[in-house]
């Protein structure tokens, strides 16, 4: 498969791209080196242009930041909405028939929470681009060693073993989950052919990674 990917230096992405590179023809687009064999670097606004001339079967986004890390809501939206959708549109134009994206548990275009609303709106916008198959992964709190400090998530990771015992049944989707499992699940989904829109929460992600 010819796979194009953004977000390869993040918590999930840096564990995903080596899995993809073993089985597929992978092209990584990014702002800084990831270590992938085929890689094109540039500003986020340049990524659609960097993809021009490449044929794509599957496109993947593990790109994401936080409002605090970005510095403002506008800067956050530039990453989590505009960069992702511009890449998705370019991948579709390049022939992509499948798109995989890491979203968030609780994502909902009708949510009162601005973060969850944005995530839901991005999911809907990608689904409207015409891909034959869209896989949306909605993990709970991501567990793993980040390259940057996120104090809130750090506290959440420390409390995760206790919280996970309480988050059972339908609440399991909000529990902590290892980023490596999400990466493994995404690599498995690249092999899927059934058309449609599929949303995968913690329980489905663990099953895919098994």
């Amino acid at each position: 498969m010819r796979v194009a990917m953004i977000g390869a230096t993040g918590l999930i992405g840096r564990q995903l791209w080596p899995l993809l590179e073993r089985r597929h023809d992978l092209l990584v687009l990014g702002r800084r080196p990831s270590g992938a064999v085929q890689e094109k670097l540039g500003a986020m606004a340049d990524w659609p242009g960097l993809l021009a001339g490449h044929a794509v079967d599957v496109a993947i986004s593990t790109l994401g930041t936080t409002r605090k890390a970005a510095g403002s809501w506008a800067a956050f939206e530039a990453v989590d909405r505009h960069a992702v959708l511009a890449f998705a549109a370019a991948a579709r134009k390049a022939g992509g028939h499948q798109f995989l994206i890491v979203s968030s548990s609780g994502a909902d275009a009708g949510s009162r929470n601005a973060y969850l609303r944005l995530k839901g709106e991005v999911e809907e916008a990608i689904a409207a681009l015409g891909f034959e198959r869209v896989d949306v992964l909605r993990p709970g709190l991501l567990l793993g060693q980040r390259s940057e400090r996120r104090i809130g998530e750090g506290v959440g990771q420390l409390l995760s073993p206790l919280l996970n015992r309480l988050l059972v049944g339908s609440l399991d989707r909000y529990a902590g989950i290892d980023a490596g499992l999400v990466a493994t699940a995404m690599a498995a989904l690249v092999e899927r052919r059934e058309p449609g829109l599929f949303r995968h929460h913690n329980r489905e992600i663990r099953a895919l990674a098994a």
Side-chain angles (χ1 to χ4, degrees):
M1 304 291 286
R2 296 165 297 186
V3 181
M5 176 182 177
I6 59 174
T9 60
L11 182 59
I12 295 172
R14 66 174 180 261
Q15 299 180 72
L16 175 57
W17 75 255
L19 300 177
L20 297 173
E21 199 169 69
R22 292 171 196 165
R23 297 179 58 89
H24 306 288
D25 179 12
L26 175 67
L27 171 65
V28 167
L29 305 179
R31 290 175 289 183
R32 59 182 186 273
S34 67
V37 172
Q38 293 188 74
E39 187 169 52
K40 288 189 172 184
L41 302 179
M44 290 188 300
D46 297 332
W47 292 348
L50 294 177
L51 194 57
H54 289 270
V56 175
D57 296 311
V58 180
I60 299 175
S61 173
T62 58
L63 187 70
T65 186
T66 64
R67 182 174 181 174
K68 182 176 181 181
S72 67
W73 179 260
F76 165 72
E77 191 172 19
V79 176
D80 280 53
R81 186 197 301 272
H82 302 309
V84 171
L85 292 182
F87 167 70
R92 182 70 190 93
K93 185 176 181 180
H97 57 77
Q98 182 184 12
F99 196 90
L100 291 84
I101 181 173
V102 177
S103 185
S104 174
S105 57
D108 183 350
S111 176
R112 290 185 176 183
N113 178 283
Y115 175 84
L116 296 178
R117 183 170 61 252
L118 181 145
K119 290 294 186 180
E121 289 171 350
V122 170
E123 290 180 14
E124 291 186 355
I126 289 173
L129 287 175
F131 289 97
E132 294 175 19
R133 179 180 176 111
V134 174
D135 288 281
V136 177
L137 287 91
R138 290 179 169 183
L141 175 67
L142 290 172
L143 306 178
Q145 188 63 47
R146 291 190 181 275
S147 56
E148 80 279 9
R149 292 186 63 190
R150 294 185 181 181
I151 296 175
E153 289 188 4
V155 172
Q157 291 202 41
L158 290 174
L159 296 176
S160 183
L162 173 61
L163 293 174
N164 281 7
R165 294 180 183 179
L166 302 174
L167 297 172
V168 297
S170 62
L171 295 178
D172 172 73
R173 65 182 56 191
Y174 301 107
I177 186 169
D178 188 88
L181 289 179
V182 182
T184 302
M186 296 187 81
L189 284 167
V190 172
E191 308 290 339
R192 300 295 174 92
R193 297 293 182 271
E194 183 183 356
L197 171 61
F198 301 88
R199 291 187 171 93
H200 313 276
H201 296 91
N202 279 354
R203 194 171 302 171
E204 294 81 15
I205 290 170
R206 294 190 193 101
L208 286 163

